[in-house]
Amino acid sequence: MNAVTNAAGFPILSLITWLPLVGCAVIMGVRGDEEAVASNARWTALWTSLIVLALSLVLWVDFDPSDPGFQFNEHMTWLPDFKVGYSMGVDGISVLFVLLSTLLTPICILSAWQAIHTRVREFMMSFLILETMMVGMFCATDFVVFYMFFEGVLIPMYLIIGVWGGPRRVYAAVKFFLYTLTGSVLMLLALIAMWLHAGTTDIYTLMHTPFSGHMQFWLFLALFASFAVKVPMWPVHTWLPDAHVEAPTAGSVILAGVLLKMGAYGFLRFSLPMLPEASAYFAPFMFTLSVVAVIYTSLVALAQEDMKKLIAYSSVAHMGVVTIGIFTFNVQGISGALFQMLSHGIVSGALFLIVGVVYDRIHTREIARYGGLGDRMPAYSLIFMLFMMASIGLPGTAGFVGEFLVIIGSLQVNFWLALLGGMGMILGAAYMLFLYRRIIFGRITRDDLRNILDLTPREWAVFAPLIVLTLWMGIYPSSFTSYWDATVGQMVQQHTAALMHTTKLAGMVH
Amino acid sequence: MLYALAVFAPLAGAAVSGLLGRAIGDKAAMGASILGMVIAAICGPLAFFTLTAGDASAGVLDLGSWIEAGRFHVDWALRYDTLSAVMVAMVSFVSMLIHVYSVGYMGHDARPRYRFFSYLSLFSFAMLMLVTANNLAQLFFGWEGVGLCSYLLIGYWYDRPSACAAAIKAFVVNRVADLPFAVGLALIFFKFGSIEFAVIFPAVAQHAADTYHLFGHNYSAIEVIGFLLFIGAMGKSAQLGFHVWLPDAMEGPTPVSALIHAATMVTAGVFLMARMSPLMEYAPVALGFVAFIGGSTALFAATIGCTQFDIKRVIAYSTCSQLGYMFAAAGVGVYQASVFHLITHAFFKALLFLSAGSVIHAMSDEQDMRKMGGLARHIPITCAVMWIGNLALAGIPPFAGYWSKDAIISATWAAHSGIGVYAFICTVLAAFLTAFYSWRLLFMTFHGQSRADHHVMEHVHESPWVMLVPLIALACGAVFAGWALDNWFIGAGWPSFWNGSIYNGQHNHVIENLEHVPYIVELLPLIVGLAGIALAYVMYIANPLLPVRMAQAFGPVYRFVFNKWYFDELYAVIFVRPAIRLSRLLWQVGDVTIIDGVPNGLAELTTDSSRQVVRIQTGSLAVYAFVMLIGVVVLVGVFMLTVML
């Protein structure tokens, strides 16, 4: 460990990463009757995740935004013969995603407080393991370490969907697993190829290792297969609606909030800096898929009759905006993409919680079963309105900044990219307002809705941080963008430089 | 300071009444909202008068950084110049009157009213942020904010399906126009490196020759920007093609219609043109398009106004038509006249809507003019102020509309261009129709025989004073505003009054030529206006059977106009239904059948083949088959890598 570069003075990243596993061990050791075990498991999980959250705030405070490189670095030799090390660090791109993961985990645990009542201990353990995997993935600065965490995320998520999910949970879980694993196999190939070429798997070294144009071409496709599934990009998105529909609320929140960001993060961490020429070569291809995703999935969302499925499809459309932003290769586009990832993490997570609130009461996600909730649930309607508006990018909320910056970034590439990529503004408004109308507006016609209760104090506690963040990110977004401004600036600069120094990829492929 | 108070007091009022409404009670919440608005209505005009009196200098009040990304940088700030200040004064004052009026109007509504007042105040705040923006991003903030509030207020009675539909329609139609607007902002950033007004305006001249490649041609970048911004303005200001949301917007309570049609929302587009005048002046083709759309909308909406029977709908189409006038003026480069008409129109249109509300109130929520008539005796004050409003609308001197509307018609003539002549003809014809439908409304509502049933007539009563006082205040504005402001807005005093906040190009002398149009041109609007009134008298008082016979005689034409030129039906066929059909198709065929079909098919293939294998060998081999599949992938991959390296 290099103490000089670590502002915290102790291996904080490892601590944040592995602490949830300690909580997990504690929960495993709990004995007693079922009720006591469940209660203990809940409280232990909540406290563990809160401590992790508190620790991660050190990153928020101590992170130096003016330094574009990795900070809080840690290094341990692990497989010295293969030049593979256990190394961790965060830069402007990853630091806020660590915070996003540590914030959403306690919120999820709190939201599952009563919703999960079977195998509570195992559920809480899965969640803590999931947290370890997510945080580790964002902190890893070695490709092998990254790969292990990246794949490790699958296991607890698979269990969360498959054990605590809805009626078709097994189909959804297997689909989720197969889709994402198939992509991962190709990433492993890319990993091996890069290691053979560079002799190391250190991410920083790999970023500064030139790969031949021919190799970049194949490496890009291999990584693309993995990341595109995770984003998910059209047409490999269909696992997502099924996974969301079957997953319990907490699972959906973390899936939309953090897991969807892994693909886009991968593009930013690997494809863009390590394979600049291939990225530039494939940019039009990425734009095409993204624009199709925005328009196609927004339209599909319009036709949905299941609340969760609708929001799941809207996620695909929002992530389409992210991938557009990433491949514009300019500061506004990438900055917008990062902001959109963060805001989508908060807002879509909140929307799944919104669905969870009524699902816990009425036990159905069918939109037609609702209507007229505004009369009985004014506070719920207000919060729903806020997150809906954030989702459709109303200025002053989190959703606007990312989308707007991506439009600004993409116009510098192409007029039609900006216009078509922005179609989500219109279609998003259509499907979200339509959803809101069917659930909140109108008259109550069903008897079981007449006595439905408004938010409980526990639910307020779940929503409060998300409300604050949504408005904060909308009104004062520069307090977030400042974290990655330097890193993104450097990334764009290096990308431009790399393109200038080498000949066009197209010439080398043929 | 006064200025910031004028902008943020409504926000505070909205927050208190909206968030604490249930806790502090309905009355207190209402009080908080009105208090915020009264503060704004005192500070706003004061800030305006101190500026024009020279006691304060124009400037920018910086509130802090908003969005930053590399070179892209925008601040929260309040711009303090004549154009912004005059808008702030008007918006805060008119909005305050509407707040007061709402106390009476919403008095018998079954729901608690704090939600309504919170939305009203928020609406005013969004509009104030829009007009005080110092960059296009903040303008967009206000722009979308008024969109949100209009959605909330149009759908205020959310248990009515028609209100919900109208609310969604308003928001989505606006969004359709907002997208090109946002792209226009992006293009401005691309060309100018900033979207701050202070950076853009001085740089326009240098970029005048810039080109932008689109549709396979190179166009002037400024022209493209001008078009994109104007499409945004068309949405917000309900111009031809985007007008469909405005008439439906009257599904909201009547004070909301007054707010949308007069002070907030629809005037935003006109304001945008005036604000961006330094840029628009370098986009002559886009300006020609503005004048074309403006003139066309003025005439088109007026024709529909002549055939409607719903009292609010007539006034709604009249707004659409009057906005057309404003754009016509902007299109020929006389932004001063368009803002002038915006201000006078705000007074008399708020007056008309609120007095229509008073009529509806009196008639036990009846809106159909065919069931009214002879109300003048029962509600004399409402009748009197509505006469004033219509006199102003029709441009009869010395009422407010005469000054501003006359100026616009003169301006289109003085432009001496082909498009100017087109706009001139449209606006003159529209002036005739305006007078006609205004007096048709007056005659059908207040004069002649009553057509209501006697139960309703027994309950007809004048509105309470809390509603009448705002009406009288607005009526004063409708009488005097034109006469009082004429000299400053477009008369001799305009250069010092506007003080550079509106820009006219070097070769744009239309405003100077306003006084030199032929006498007949100046007189023409008045003549056609009186003719319109005369025709309305003949048709609705002298010979009440004539309209029915005419409708029968001109059957197809009448039905075409009465059905609003079938725009709604056309859009349903072209956009709405195909979009819904396409969305089902993409879902069921695209996702479920094709995209999911491949992996599911693969899975079935695996299970099928495993069943085949099972027949030969015992034991489940599905898992093994999948492992083998992975093995193949790995093998092929390794092979590829070795070939490659």
Side-chain angles (χ1 to χ4, degrees):
Chain A
M1 194 198 113
N2 190 343
V4 183
T5 50
N6 193 339
F10 59 96
I12 182 164
L13 294 180
S14 288
L15 198 60
I16 295 173
T17 304
W18 299 110
L19 196 62
L21 280 195
V22 176
C24 197
V26 173
I27 293 176
M28 214 190 308
V30 173
R31 291 282 175 272
D33 63 272
E34 204 184 321
E35 199 53 37
V37 169
S39 171
N40 277 327
R42 286 186 187 117
W43 283 106
T44 315
L46 182 63
W47 277 110
T48 311
S49 61
L50 285 176
I51 293 168
V52 172
L53 174 61
L55 269 174
S56 64
L57 289 180
V58 174
L59 294 182
W60 170 264
V61 176
D62 282 351
F63 185 84
D64 175 13
S66 62
D67 176 4
F70 287 107
Q71 301 176 32
F72 304 99
N73 293 312
E74 298 168 19
H75 188 78
M76 263 180 358
T77 44
W78 178 24
L79 304 167
D81 299 344
F82 299 96
K83 293 220 174 98
V84 173
Y86 169 84
S87 42
M88 293 207 148
V90 285
D91 64 356
I93 290 172
S94 53
V95 62
L96 293 184
F97 291 101
V98 174
L99 282 155
L100 181 68
S101 313
T102 58
L103 173 79
L104 285 180
T105 304
I107 287 177
C108 286
I109 288 172
L110 206 56
S111 78
W113 209 254
Q114 283 156 357
I116 300 293
H117 38 73
T118 54
R119 301 173 198 256
V120 177
R121 177 164 69 170
E122 288 76 8
F123 182 83
M124 294 299 165
M125 281 165 62
S126 305
F127 244 90
L128 291 177
I129 296 172
L130 187 60
E131 183 171 27
T132 292
M133 297 300 166
M134 292 186 305
V135 173
M137 191 214 58
F138 286 121
C139 291
T141 53
D142 186 282
F143 202 164
V144 173
V145 180
F146 172 85
Y147 183 77
M148 290 175 63
F149 283 122
F150 192 83
E151 296 307 311
V153 167
L154 282 182
I155 300 161
M157 197 64 219
Y158 173 75
L159 292 176
I160 288 169
I161 297 174
V163 176
W164 292 275
R168 290 178 73 218
R169 57 179 178 268
V170 176
Y171 169 73
V174 172
K175 194 172 179 183
F176 164 76
F177 201 83
L178 288 186
Y179 252 105
T180 45
L181 198 71
T182 314
S184 305
V185 172
L186 290 166
M187 179 158 80
L188 185 64
L189 281 180
L191 167 60
I192 295 168
M194 286 167 109
W195 172 72
L196 284 173
H197 180 83
T200 176
T201 52
D202 179 60
I203 287 178
Y204 184 80
T205 319
L206 286 176
M207 279 182 190
H208 295 86
T209 306
F211 294 94
S212 74
H214 187 69
M215 202 172 162
Q216 285 195 22
F217 181 87
W218 291 105
L219 285 175
F220 186 92
L221 283 181
L223 291 179
F224 168 79
S226 175
F227 297 147
V229 169
K230 280 272 172 26
V231 167
M233 294 181 75
W234 185 86
V236 286
H237 63 279
T238 52
W239 63 269
L240 185 72
D242 284 319
H244 267 308
V245 165
E246 300 306 325
T249 301
S252 288
V253 172
I254 214 78
L255 184 60
V258 183
L259 265 60
L260 290 197
K261 311 299 169 300
M262 290 163 49
Y265 176 74
F267 280 126
L268 277 171
R269 178 62 77 219
F270 296 94
S271 308
L272 220 60
M274 295 178 195
L275 316 168
E277 293 155 51
S279 298
Y281 179 77
F282 280 107
F285 171 68
M286 300 298 285
F287 291 147
T288 311
L289 290 188
S290 307
V291 165
V292 171
V294 169
I295 296 173
Y296 179 106
T297 51
S298 294
L299 281 171
V300 173
L302 202 57
Q304 295 309 307
E305 285 140 16
D306 180 305
M307 287 192 234
K308 266 189 158 178
K309 228 172 193 171
L310 192 152
I311 298 169
Y313 273 110
S314 89
S315 290
V316 182
H318 281 127
M319 293 311 288
V321 174
V322 170
T323 40
I324 290 175
I326 291 174
F327 285 87
T328 58
F329 311 122
N330 57 50
V331 176
Q332 287 78 34
I334 296 178
S335 205
L338 279 165
F339 203 93
Q340 176 86 344
M341 284 159 74
L342 271 188
S343 78
H344 178 264
I346 304 278
V347 173
S348 73
L351 283 172
F352 279 114
L353 287 169
I354 287 279
V355 175
V357 168
V358 287
Y359 183 77
D360 287 347
R361 287 161 172 71
I362 310 292
H363 303 292
T364 174
R365 294 179 311 265
E366 196 192 331
I367 296 169
R369 276 284 281 108
Y370 294 92
L373 293 187
D375 280 337
R376 290 284 310 163
M377 307 177 78
Y380 175 76
S381 308
L382 179 68
I383 295 176
F384 192 174
M385 173 69 71
L386 171 75
F387 290 121
M388 169 178 79
M389 284 299 155
S391 164
I392 63 184
L394 193 83
T397 62
F400 168 68
V401 182
E403 200 165 317
F404 188 57
L405 284 175
V406 169
I407 290 179
I408 284 179
S410 54
L411 186 110
Q412 298 171 35
V413 177
N414 183 298
F415 178 84
W416 297 106
L417 181 64
L419 194 72
L420 295 176
M423 285 296 283
M425 258 179 76
I426 300 169
L427 296 169
Y431 63 71
M432 283 312 283
L433 295 182
F434 189 39
L435 170 73
Y436 192 82
R437 175 193 170 176
R438 285 179 288 172
I439 293 176
I440 302 294
F441 290 163
R443 278 179 215 275
I444 291 184
T445 49
R446 310 249 176 192
D447 283 335
D448 52 356
L449 298 179
R450 281 185 217 287
N451 301 317
I452 195 166
L453 295 175
D454 212 348
L455 299 180
T456 63
R458 183 181 56 82
E459 285 163 341
W460 271 110
V462 167
F463 283 116
L466 299 175
I467 295 169
V468 170
L469 271 172
T470 302
L471 291 174
W472 179 9
M473 288 177 74
I475 294 168
Y476 191 40
S478 30
S479 53
F480 296 85
T481 53
S482 63
Y483 275 82
W484 62 64
D485 238 11
T487 313
V488 171
Q490 194 193 45
M491 184 190 244
V492 170
Q493 224 172 11
Q494 284 173 353
H495 180 83
T496 323
L499 287 190
M500 279 169 65
H501 284 296
T502 43
T503 43
K504 281 272 176 279
L505 177 72
M508 286 185 216
V509 173
H510 304 293
Chain B
M1 195 55 224
L2 273 179
Y3 202 55
L5 209 56
V7 175
F8 289 104
L11 176 65
V16 170
S17 63
L19 299 178
L20 306 176
R22 263 183 306 165
I24 60 177
D26 215 22
K27 283 234 166 65
M30 222 156 67
S33 159
I34 291 175
L35 179 69
M37 221 45 237
V38 168
I39 293 173
I42 293 168
C43 296
L46 263 182
F48 168 63
F49 290 127
T50 47
L51 182 70
T52 47
D55 295 338
S57 54
V60 174
L61 183 65
D62 204 28
L63 301 172
S65 143
W66 184 21
I67 306 176
E68 275 173 68
R71 283 186 307 145
F72 184 83
H73 177 97
V74 288
D75 279 340
W76 291 110
L78 301 182
R79 187 181 179 90
Y80 186 39
D81 63 7
T82 308
L83 181 58
S84 289
V86 75
M87 290 297 288
V88 168
M90 182 279 285
V91 170
S92 56
F93 182 69
V94 173
S95 177
M96 183 271 290
L97 291 177
I98 292 171
H99 271 69
V100 173
Y101 176 92
S102 302
V103 175
Y105 190 82
M106 299 302 284
H108 62 296
D109 201 57
R111 293 174 197 285
R113 284 163 290 172
Y114 67 88
R115 196 165 61 91
F116 182 74
F117 278 86
S118 172
Y119 292 166
L120 279 189
S121 292
L122 192 66
F123 205 159
S124 313
F125 166 71
M127 188 65 187
L128 291 170
M129 283 301 270
L130 191 160
V131 298
T132 57
N134 193 36
N135 58 59
L136 282 162
Q138 187 183 327
L139 194 142
F140 196 62
F141 167 83
W143 193 266
E144 294 283 279
V146 293
L148 165 69
C149 296
S150 67
Y151 162 77
L152 293 172
L153 281 166
I154 295 167
Y156 177 74
W157 284 313
Y158 56 77
D159 48 352
R160 298 182 185 172
S162 59
C164 294
I168 295 181
K169 187 173 176 184
F171 197 91
V172 173
V173 171
N174 267 293
R175 268 283 163 123
V176 172
D178 289 349
L179 177 60
F181 185 44
V183 173
L185 300 200
L187 186 54
I188 290 180
F189 176 75
F190 183 49
K191 286 292 170 189
F192 291 85
S194 171
I195 54 172
E196 297 277 347
F197 294 142
V199 179
I200 305 169
F201 293 163
V204 176
Q206 300 161 26
H207 290 277
D210 281 13
T211 57
Y212 190 68
H213 193 76
L214 205 61
F215 303 113
H217 294 281
N218 282 321
Y219 294 99
S220 154
I222 306 279
E223 292 280 10
V224 177
I225 292 170
F227 269 99
L228 289 171
L229 294 186
F230 178 60
I231 293 173
M234 282 172 73
K236 203 97 313 182
S237 294
Q239 292 300 287
L240 191 60
F242 287 101
H243 66 280
V244 287
W245 67 270
L246 189 65
D248 288 15
M250 53 157 219
E251 284 293 339
T254 305
V256 176
S257 309
L259 201 57
I260 291 179
H261 289 252
T264 58
M265 189 96 178
V266 295
T267 54
V270 180
F271 170 78
L272 178 73
M273 290 295 112
R275 173 52 84 207
M276 296 308 288
S277 56
L279 189 141
M280 296 304 290
E281 282 293 270
Y282 283 87
V285 180
L287 273 184
F289 184 64
V290 173
F292 171 74
I293 291 288
S296 307
T297 309
L299 183 57
F300 153 80
T303 59
I304 299 179
C306 294
T307 58
Q308 299 302 307
F309 290 109
D310 185 311
I311 186 167
K312 281 171 78 179
R313 217 170 253 273
V314 174
I315 307 176
Y317 277 105
S318 131
T319 305
C320 211
S321 163
Q322 296 304 308
L323 288 164
Y325 276 92
M326 298 177 208
F327 279 109
V332 296
V334 193
Y335 312 94
Q336 289 88 341
S338 74
V339 176
F340 187 25
H341 196 52
L342 191 163
I343 301 288
T344 56
H345 176 260
F347 283 106
F348 60 74
K349 191 49 60 72
L351 174 63
L352 283 174
F353 259 113
L354 294 185
S355 37
S358 181
V359 171
I360 295 166
H361 198 73
M363 295 293 291
S364 316
D365 293 331
E366 180 58 68
Q367 302 193 4
D368 191 334
M369 296 193 295
R370 282 171 295 192
K371 295 180 184 157
M372 296 179 185
L375 292 177
R377 276 166 294 134
H378 303 278
I379 44 174
I381 301 178
T382 303
C383 173
V385 292
M386 199 135 189
W387 263 84
I388 293 175
N390 278 321
L391 284 166
L393 173 63
I396 307 297
F399 295 92
Y402 160 74
W403 304 87
S404 50
K405 196 186 214 174
D406 231 28
I408 289 175
I409 295 175
S410 300
T412 53
W413 176 269
H416 298 302
S417 61
I419 205 75
V421 171
Y422 174 78
F424 175 76
I425 294 168
C426 284
T427 47
V428 169
L429 287 177
F432 170 73
L433 295 175
T434 305
F436 172 73
Y437 67 65
S438 300
W439 263 263
R440 173 176 174 266
L441 184 152
L442 283 176
F443 290 142
M444 285 185 83
T445 309
F446 293 108
H447 305 286
Q449 289 300 311
S450 168
R451 293 175 298 275
D453 69 70
H454 65 279
H455 292 296
V456 175
M457 285 313 284
E458 278 165 17
H459 287 100
V460 169
H461 56 282
E462 187 60 278
S463 298
W465 282 106
V466 70
M467 287 164 72
L468 293 178
V469 169
L471 287 180
I472 293 165
L474 286 168
C476 292
V479 176
F480 297 115
W483 169 76
L485 299 174
D486 182 59
N487 181 43
W488 303 109
F489 275 67
I490 52 169
W494 74 265
S496 67
F497 174 81
W498 291 107
N499 195 16
S501 57
I502 289 180
Y503 175 82
N504 298 97
Q506 283 167 344
H507 306 292
N508 179 356
H509 300 297
V510 180
I511 186 161
E512 281 99 351
N513 295 337
L514 277 187
E515 299 300 321
H516 308 302
V517 293
Y519 197 58
I520 181 70
V521 171
E522 283 200 43
L523 220 55
L524 200 57
L526 182 61
I527 296 168
V528 296
L530 292 174
I533 295 171
L535 181 64
Y537 180 81
V538 170
M539 284 179 69
Y540 292 93
I541 296 292
N543 191 354
L545 292 176
L546 195 58
V548 182
R549 255 183 281 144
M550 279 180 72
Q552 281 164 350
F554 297 100
V557 178
Y558 176 78
R559 273 196 300 279
F560 182 68
V561 177
F562 180 72
N563 287 304
K564 300 158 251 172
W565 296 35
Y566 293 106
F567 262 95
D568 282 325
E569 290 77 2
L570 193 68
Y571 284 178
V573 172
I574 300 179
F575 300 116
V576 181
R577 272 180 239 149
I580 292 171
R581 227 174 288 144
L582 183 64
S583 68
R584 290 194 190 288
L585 186 81
L586 289 180
W587 179 30
Q588 292 297 353
V589 178
D591 262 24
V592 176
T593 312
I594 299 174
I595 297 179
D596 263 0
V598 175
N600 286 353
L602 276 179
E604 267 164 38
L605 197 71
T606 317
T607 35
D608 281 356
S609 48
S610 77
R611 276 200 203 103
Q612 301 294 328
V613 178
V614 165
R615 282 184 198 157
I616 305 164
Q617 262 183 308
T618 52
S620 163
L621 286 177
V623 181
Y624 298 155
F626 186 67
V627 171
M628 267 173 63
L629 198 70
I630 294 177
V632 172
V633 172
V634 173
L635 276 176
V636 171
V638 169
F639 174 70
M640 266 174 6
L641 286 175
T642 45
V643 169
M644 237 164 62
L645 292 172

